């Protein structure tokens, strides 16, 4: 009986080879379209997440308080050892430390006098692994006591020169400040680091720093800095002219970038100066901010939980409002461009792509149902004849289902051959092809089933009498 079924099915396929071949080709093209579309969705989502990660979406900030600088370094090393953490930066932020920088460049000189132009900004001390475009964060409450306690990411995008962190004898400055003075990378700068947490301020001058690059700032202050002009006759500074209200100007988030060791040495110098005065540094710890990057965007919650658990084991209670005295910590997501935004955008891409994939699969189902309707209408009386000569309804449906299966298998085979031929376009998409083939075949079979059962609602005699 099975051999008879197979023989009849093959015989009928040979008679309708052109229509069956075109149907198999159409199904193959549909499977390929679904495969490529699904693959493109995967690539778009991966590219989107990668761009968000590069911009800092996999980053969060751990703020610690009441910890000495050496202990901060030990804590940072322990966090770097967590499996869900890719990297950690512990920069010296002038906003937190109360340090500003007067950066000046010589613009005129003769044998009698020198004139310099400069800018007062925040200062940022960073290690070689620090990424200016991704790792600079400021707590808004440190800038203004009325602002909420939030970590704001401020990308520093290199405009000219190198993007690497400066060495001990180098400096990066904002492009707005460099354009104000009229200098480019390669110029020689002088920097006065000023600790403002004490009166009179503690000042240390650094000369001969080479400007290695400039950057644009994407943040609330952008190019806001306090300019000044300095006059030095016979090598002695006697006059510094600043803009109106410069001495009372608020803290700016616009930084210059120095090597972390330079800022660390300045803090040691400040402690020594305070010791000579019989005073202690009023602001502790030297560093409060740990910029932590998870391995992937989706791993941020896991990394946060792991970091929080480690800090609690070190005896640090969680306090995000600054109400507890002594040591504490707080985990903060960036105010913008965090992992939640990245996953939301990924979901939007997936939802939009799923709609078009569903539309393609629906067209596969509609096309297969249409093909089966043509077959049923053309072979309407055959349903009655097969049942009249002894075939059961299930055997009759199986006969026509076997023909449809042959077409579907042919389409699947053509799609598989084409996918191998177009390997460069579908590289790494074996899972996408298997999923697309399964969904397409399932949709085709499901849409064809009601059509196959349609004639069985009539008796064999009625099928033989009716002309469709």
């Amino acid at each position: 009986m099975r051999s008879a079924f197979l023989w009849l099915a093959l015989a009928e396929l040979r008679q309708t080879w052109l229509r069956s071949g075109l149907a198999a080709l159409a199904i193959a093209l549909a499977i390929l379209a679904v495969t490529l579309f699904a693959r493109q969705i995967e690539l778009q989502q991966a590219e989107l997440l990668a761009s968000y990660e590069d911009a800092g979406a996999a980053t969060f900030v751990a703020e610690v308080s009441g910890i000495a600088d050496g202990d901060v370094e030990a804590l940072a090393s322990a966090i770097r050892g967590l499996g869900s953490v890719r990297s950690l930066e512990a920069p010296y932020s002038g906003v937190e430390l109360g340090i500003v920088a007067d950066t000046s460049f010589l613009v005129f000189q003769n044998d009698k006098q020198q004139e310099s132009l400069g800018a007062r900004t925040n200062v940022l001390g960073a290690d070689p692994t620090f990424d200016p475009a991704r790792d600079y964060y400021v707590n808004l409450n440190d800038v203004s006591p009325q602002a909420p306690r939030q970590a704001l990411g401020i990308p520093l995008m290199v405009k000219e020169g190198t993007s690497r962190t400066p060495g001990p004898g180098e400096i990066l400055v904002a492009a707005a400040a460099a354009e104000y003075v009229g200098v480019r990378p390669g110029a020689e700068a002088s920097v006065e680091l000023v600790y403002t947490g004490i009166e009179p301020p503690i000042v240390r001058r650094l000369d001969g720093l080479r400007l290695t690059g400039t950057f644009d700032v994407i943040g609330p202050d952008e190019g806001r800095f306090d300019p000044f002009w300095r006059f030095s006759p016979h090598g002695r500074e006697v006059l510094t002219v600043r803009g109106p209200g410069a001495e009372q100007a608020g803290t700016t988030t616009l930084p210059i970038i120095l090597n972390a060791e330079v800022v660390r040495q300045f803090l040691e110098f400040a402690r020594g100066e305070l010791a000579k005065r019989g005073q202690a540094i009023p602001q502790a710890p030297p560093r409060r901010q740990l910029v932590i990057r998870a391995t992937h965007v989706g791993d941020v919650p896991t990394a946060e939980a792991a970091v929080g658990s480690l800090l609690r084991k070190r005896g640090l209670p969680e306090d995000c409002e600054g109400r507890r005295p002594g040591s504490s910590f707080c985990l903060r997501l960036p105010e913008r461009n965090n992992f939640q935004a990245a996953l939301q955008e990924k979901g939007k891409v997936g939802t939009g792509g799923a709609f078009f994939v569903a539309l393609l699969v629906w067209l596969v189902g509609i096309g297969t149902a249409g093909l089966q309707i043509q077959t049923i209408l053309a072979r309407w009386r055959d349903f009655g004849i097969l049942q009249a000569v002894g075939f059961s309804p299930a055997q009759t449906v199986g006969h026509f289902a076997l023909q449809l299966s042959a077409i579907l298998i042919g389409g699947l085979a053509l799609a598989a051959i084409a996918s191998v031929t177009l390997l460069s376009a579908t590289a790494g998409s074996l899972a996408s092809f298997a999923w697309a083939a399964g969904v397409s075949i399932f949709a085709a079979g499901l849409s064809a089933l009601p059509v196959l059962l349609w004639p069985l609602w009539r008796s064999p005699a009625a099928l033989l009498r009716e002309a469709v």
Side-chain angles (χ1 to χ4, degrees), residues 69-107:
D69 192 62
D71 294 334
V72 169
E73 197 59 49
L75 190 61
S77 298
I79 294 175
R80 290 188 184 100
L82 297 174
S84 54
V85 172
R86 177 182 295 184
S87 64
L88 182 147
E89 300 297 331
Y92 289 92
S93 173
V95 173
E96 297 177 354
L97 302 172
I99 301 175
V100 296
D102 284 343
T103 306
S104 60
F105 297 87
L106 186 65
V107 295

Coordinates of all heavy atoms in Angstrom, one line a residue, residues 69-107:
D69 N 43.4 56.1 50.2 CA 43.7 55.9 48.8 C 44.3 54.5 48.5 O 44.0 53.9 47.5 CB 44.7 57.0 48.3 CG 44.9 57.0 46.8 OD1 43.9 57.3 46.1 OD2 46.0 56.8 46.3
G70 N 45.2 54.1 49.4 CA 45.8 52.7 49.2 C 44.8 51.6 49.3 O 44.8 50.6 48.5
D71 N 43.8 51.8 50.1 CA 42.7 50.8 50.2 C 41.8 50.8 49.0 O 41.2 49.8 48.6 CB 41.9 51.0 51.5 CG 42.7 50.8 52.8 OD1 43.7 50.0 52.7 OD2 42.4 51.4 53.8
V72 N 41.6 52.0 48.4 CA 40.8 52.1 47.2 C 41.5 51.3 46.1 O 40.8 50.6 45.4 CB 40.7 53.6 46.8 CG1 40.1 53.7 45.4 CG2 39.8 54.3 47.7
E73 N 42.8 51.3 46.0 CA 43.5 50.6 45.0 C 43.3 49.1 45.2 O 43.1 48.3 44.3 CB 45.0 50.9 45.0 CG 45.7 50.5 43.7 CD 45.1 51.1 42.5 OE1 44.9 52.3 42.4 OE2 44.9 50.3 41.5
A74 N 43.4 48.6 46.5 CA 43.2 47.2 46.8 C 41.8 46.8 46.5 O 41.6 45.7 46.0 CB 43.6 47.0 48.3
L75 N 40.9 47.6 46.8 CA 39.5 47.3 46.5 C 39.2 47.2 45.0 O 38.5 46.3 44.5 CB 38.6 48.4 47.1 CG 37.1 48.1 47.1 CD1 36.7 46.9 48.0 CD2 36.3 49.4 47.7
A76 N 39.9 48.1 44.3 CA 39.7 48.1 42.8 C 40.3 46.8 42.2 O 39.7 46.2 41.3 CB 40.4 49.3 42.2
S77 N 41.4 46.3 42.8 CA 42.0 45.1 42.3 C 41.1 43.9 42.6 O 41.0 43.0 41.7 CB 43.4 44.8 43.0 OG 44.3 45.9 42.6
A78 N 40.4 43.9 43.7 CA 39.5 42.8 44.0 C 38.3 42.8 43.1 O 37.9 41.7 42.6 CB 39.0 42.9 45.5
I79 N 37.8 43.9 42.8 CA 36.6 44.0 41.9 C 37.0 43.6 40.5 O 36.3 42.9 39.7 CB 36.1 45.4 41.9 CG1 35.5 45.8 43.2 CG2 35.0 45.6 40.8 CD1 35.0 47.2 43.4
R80 N 38.2 43.9 40.0 CA 38.7 43.5 38.7 C 38.7 42.0 38.6 O 38.6 41.5 37.4 CB 40.1 44.1 38.4 CG 40.1 45.6 38.2 CD 41.5 46.1 37.7 NE 41.6 47.5 37.6 CZ 42.1 48.3 38.4 NH1 42.7 47.8 39.5 NH2 42.1 49.6 38.2
G81 N 38.9 41.3 39.7 CA 38.9 39.8 39.6 C 37.6 39.2 39.5 O 37.5 37.9 39.3
L82 N 36.5 39.9 39.6 CA 35.2 39.3 39.4 C 34.9 38.9 38.0 O 35.3 39.6 37.0 CB 34.1 40.3 39.9 CG 34.1 40.7 41.3 CD1 33.1 41.8 41.6 CD2 33.9 39.5 42.3
G83 N 34.3 37.7 37.8 CA 34.1 37.2 36.5 C 33.2 38.0 35.6 O 33.4 38.0 34.3
S84 N 32.3 38.8 36.1 CA 31.4 39.6 35.3 C 31.9 41.0 35.0 O 31.2 41.8 34.4 CB 30.0 39.7 35.9 OG 30.1 40.2 37.3
V85 N 33.1 41.3 35.5 CA 33.7 42.6 35.3 C 34.8 42.6 34.3 O 35.7 41.8 34.4 CB 34.2 43.2 36.6 CG1 35.0 44.5 36.4 CG2 33.1 43.4 37.6
R86 N 34.7 43.4 33.2 CA 35.7 43.5 32.2 C 36.9 44.4 32.6 O 38.0 44.1 32.4 CB 35.1 43.9 30.9 CG 36.1 44.1 29.8 CD 35.5 44.6 28.5 NE 34.6 43.7 27.9 CZ 33.9 43.8 26.8 NH1 34.1 44.9 26.1 NH2 33.1 42.9 26.3
S87 N 36.5 45.6 33.1 CA 37.6 46.5 33.5 C 37.1 47.5 34.6 O 35.9 47.6 34.8 CB 38.0 47.4 32.3 OG 36.9 48.1 31.8
L88 N 38.0 48.2 35.2 CA 37.7 49.1 36.3 C 38.7 50.3 36.2 O 39.9 50.0 36.1 CB 37.7 48.5 37.6 CG 37.3 49.3 38.8 CD1 36.6 48.5 39.9 CD2 38.6 50.0 39.5
E89 N 38.2 51.5 36.3 CA 39.0 52.7 36.3 C 38.7 53.4 37.6 O 37.6 53.5 38.1 CB 38.7 53.6 35.1 CG 38.9 52.9 33.8 CD 40.4 52.6 33.6 OE1 41.3 53.2 34.1 OE2 40.6 51.6 32.8
A90 N 39.8 53.9 38.2 CA 39.6 54.7 39.5 C 40.4 56.0 39.3 O 41.5 56.3 39.8 CB 40.2 54.0 40.7
P91 N 39.8 57.0 38.5 CA 40.5 58.2 38.2 C 40.5 59.2 39.3 O 39.7 59.1 40.3 CB 39.7 58.8 37.0 CG 38.3 58.2 37.2 CD 38.5 56.9 37.8
Y92 N 41.4 60.1 39.3 CA 41.4 61.2 40.3 C 40.6 62.4 39.6 O 41.0 63.0 38.7 CB 42.8 61.7 40.6 CG 43.6 60.7 41.4 CD1 44.4 59.8 40.7 CD2 43.6 60.8 42.8 CE1 45.2 58.9 41.5 CE2 44.4 59.9 43.5 CZ 45.1 58.9 42.8 OH 45.9 58.0 43.6
S93 N 39.4 62.7 40.2 CA 38.5 63.7 39.7 C 38.6 65.0 40.5 O 38.4 65.0 41.7 CB 37.1 63.2 39.6 OG 36.2 64.3 39.3
G94 N 39.0 66.1 39.8 CA 39.1 67.3 40.5 C 37.8 67.8 41.1 O 37.7 68.5 42.1
V95 N 36.6 67.4 40.5 CA 35.3 67.8 41.0 C 35.2 67.2 42.4 O 34.6 67.9 43.3 CB 34.2 67.3 40.1 CG1 32.8 67.5 40.7 CG2 34.3 68.0 38.7
E96 N 35.6 66.0 42.6 CA 35.5 65.3 44.0 C 36.6 65.8 44.9 O 36.3 66.0 46.1 CB 35.6 63.8 43.8 CG 34.5 63.2 43.0 CD 34.7 61.7 42.8 OE1 35.8 61.2 43.3 OE2 33.9 61.0 42.3
L97 N 37.8 66.1 44.4 CA 38.9 66.4 45.3 C 39.0 67.9 45.6 O 39.7 68.2 46.5 CB 40.2 65.9 44.6 CG 40.3 64.5 44.2 CD1 41.6 64.2 43.4 CD2 40.3 63.6 45.5
G98 N 38.3 68.7 44.9 CA 38.4 70.1 45.1 C 39.7 70.7 44.5 O 40.3 71.6 45.0
I99 N 40.1 70.1 43.3 CA 41.3 70.6 42.7 C 41.0 71.2 41.3 O 40.2 70.6 40.6 CB 42.3 69.4 42.4 CG1 42.7 68.7 43.7 CG2 43.5 69.9 41.7 CD1 43.5 67.5 43.5
V100 N 41.5 72.4 41.0 CA 41.3 73.0 39.7 C 42.7 73.2 39.1 O 43.7 73.0 39.8 CB 40.6 74.4 39.8 CG1 39.2 74.2 40.4 CG2 41.4 75.3 40.7
A101 N 42.7 73.4 37.8 CA 44.0 73.6 37.1 C 44.0 74.8 36.3 O 43.1 75.1 35.6 CB 44.2 72.4 36.2
D102 N 45.1 75.6 36.4 CA 45.3 76.8 35.6 C 46.3 76.3 34.5 O 47.5 76.2 34.8 CB 45.9 77.9 36.4 CG 44.8 78.6 37.2 OD1 43.6 78.4 36.9 OD2 45.2 79.4 38.1
T103 N 45.8 76.1 33.3 CA 46.7 75.7 32.2 C 47.0 76.8 31.3 O 46.0 77.5 30.8 CB 46.0 74.6 31.4 OG1 45.6 73.5 32.3 CG2 46.9 74.0 30.3
S104 N 48.2 77.2 31.1 CA 48.6 78.3 30.3 C 49.6 78.0 29.2 O 50.4 77.0 29.3 CB 49.2 79.4 31.2 OG 50.3 79.0 31.9
F105 N 49.6 78.8 28.1 CA 50.6 78.6 27.0 C 51.2 79.9 26.7 O 50.5 81.0 26.7 CB 49.8 78.1 25.8 CG 49.2 76.7 25.9 CD1 47.9 76.6 26.5 CD2 49.9 75.6 25.6 CE1 47.3 75.4 26.6 CE2 49.3 74.3 25.7 CZ 48.0 74.2 26.2
L106 N 52.5 79.9 26.4 CA 53.2 81.1 26.1 C 52.8 81.6 24.7 O 52.9 80.9 23.8 CB 54.7 80.9 26.2 CG 55.7 82.1 26.0 CD1 55.5 83.0 27.2 CD2 57.1 81.6 25.9
V107 N 52.4 82.9 24.6 CA 51.9 83.4 23.3 C 52.8 84.6 22.8 O 52.7 84.9 21.7 CB 50.4 83.9 23.4 CG1 49.5 82.7 23.7 CG2 50.3 84.9 24.5

